[in-house]
Amino acid sequence: MGAGHSHALYVHEHSVVHRMAPQAKLVAALGMVASIAITPREAVWAFGLYAVAIVGLTKVSRIRPGFLAVRLLAVAPFVLFALFIPFIATGETTEVLGITVSVDGLWGAWNILAKALLGASVSILLTATTEIPDIIRGLSVLRVPPLFISITTFMIRYLELIVDELGRVRVAMASRGYDPRWISQARPIASSAGALFVRSYERGERVHAAMLARGYTGEMPAPSTVSVGVSQWARVLVLVAAFAGTAIVALVVV
């Protein structure tokens, strides 16, 4: 994560959200996700309000809807799982388009879909408007344990390295005529993945030894911080209060 490096989820813009301090955005994201998580599944109106607020934030952040939609494909496994719940759940049943499904299963599927999509949208907006080093810096300002910050920093860095290395391996295999079309041809990919894991582990040991030789004691150097103005905290508190208030009302009403 050196100078000039941007991760794939970051969108270079100059919006109000981009200019906010990372610790303020982290607090806002945490408050929004927590509110979404505790909202009862029957409060459909509350999820609608959350969606409207997130769409508004997307527009203010100058993030293209298509960018957000493509990144939401990451929750596809949860969506596929949710689609099966109405057919395997027990209890009272009803008919939808002539198909008998579980009522409780329908609510369960809706609960997973709504919370997964909304929570993922908040996370994507956070990473789209904040560079990874700034997120790490914000975690440090918020007094997150240094060990967790170190693990997170190395994990992100090595995920990028492993993905790049895997891409080079695939290019090398393709240049030698390897073009898998059937599942039986996947064995070389599995072998390459195993070799890549071993190489990554050995590289990690070498990097750790080099860091110890340079005086590493288990904590990364304290990063420089960005001050947060009163106006920024006011925006964050209003946003979190709106989400939390909606969740509380939903809990009381339902």
Side-chain angles (χ1 to χ4, degrees), residues 6 24 31 71 81 87 99 113 138 173-175 178 219 223 245:
S6 296
R71 269 60 186 180
F81 172 75
F87 302 100
I99 302 175
L113 285 173
M173 294 174 67
S175 66
Y178 180 69
E219 293 186 9

Side-chain angles (χ1 to χ4, degrees), residues 167-190:
R168 287 193 289 270
V169 170
R170 293 183 63 183
V171 170
M173 294 174 67
S175 66
R176 289 164 174 78
Y178 180 69
D179 185 22
R181 296 183 182 275
W182 306 99
I183 191 66
S184 60
Q185 296 175 292
R187 182 175 179 181
I189 289 290

Side-chain angles (χ1 to χ4, degrees), residues 11-243:
V11 178
H12 183 73
E13 279 289 352
H14 301 283
S15 68
V16 175
V17 180
H18 281 77
R19 292 193 294 269
M20 289 182 65
Q23 57 267 36
K25 286 186 277 189
L26 284 167
V27 171
L30 178 61
M32 294 166 66
V33 171
S35 300
I36 293 170
I38 66 174
T39 301
R41 63 188 185 182
E42 294 82 5
V44 179
W45 60 270
F47 294 110
L49 292 178
Y50 296 149
V52 170
I54 292 173
V55 169
L57 284 174
T58 303
K59 186 174 182 180
V60 171
S61 304
R62 301 179 184 176
I63 304 299
R64 291 179 289 103
F67 177 91
L68 183 63
V70 170
R71 269 60 186 180
L72 281 175
L73 291 176
V75 301
F78 300 98
V79 173
L80 291 175
F81 172 75
L83 294 178
F84 285 104
I85 294 179
F87 302 100
I88 61 178
T90 58
E92 182 183 352
T93 61
T94 186
E95 284 194 2
V96 178
L97 299 177
I99 302 175
T100 302
V101 293
S102 167
V103 174
D104 194 53
L106 286 174
W107 279 116
W110 158 252
N111 190 49
I112 294 175
L113 285 173
K115 293 183 178 180
L117 292 174
L118 292 174
S121 298
V122 173
S123 301
I124 293 171
L125 285 177
L126 173 64
T127 55
T129 58
T130 316
E131 287 273 31
I132 291 296
D134 292 331
I135 293 178
I136 300 299
R137 188 179 299 113
L139 292 174
S140 178
V141 173
L142 294 174
R143 306 297 182 184
V144 174
L147 180 60
F148 177 82
I149 294 177
S150 297
I151 293 174
T152 304
T153 303
F154 287 119
M155 179 189 70
I156 294 171
R157 179 55 178 159
Y158 272 89
L159 280 176
E160 294 177 344
L161 288 175
I162 291 173
V163 170
D164 290 342
E165 185 68 23
L166 182 59
R168 287 193 289 270
V169 170
R170 293 183 63 183
V171 170
M173 294 174 67
S175 66
R176 289 164 174 78
Y178 180 69
D179 185 22
R181 296 183 182 275
W182 306 99
I183 191 66
S184 60
Q185 296 175 292
R187 182 175 179 181
I189 289 290
S191 301
S192 300
L196 182 61
F197 173 79
V198 174
R199 291 171 60 184
S200 301
Y201 182 81
E202 292 175 344
R203 183 173 183 175
E205 286 188 325
R206 293 195 299 270
V207 170
H208 184 251
M211 292 175 66
L212 292 177
R214 289 165 174 78
Y216 178 68
T217 59
E219 293 186 9
M220 300 297 289
S224 58
T225 59
V226 179
S227 60
V228 183
V230 176
S231 60
Q232 287 192 25
W233 279 125
R235 295 192 198 103
V236 169
L237 291 177
V238 168
L239 181 62
V240 173
F243 270 70

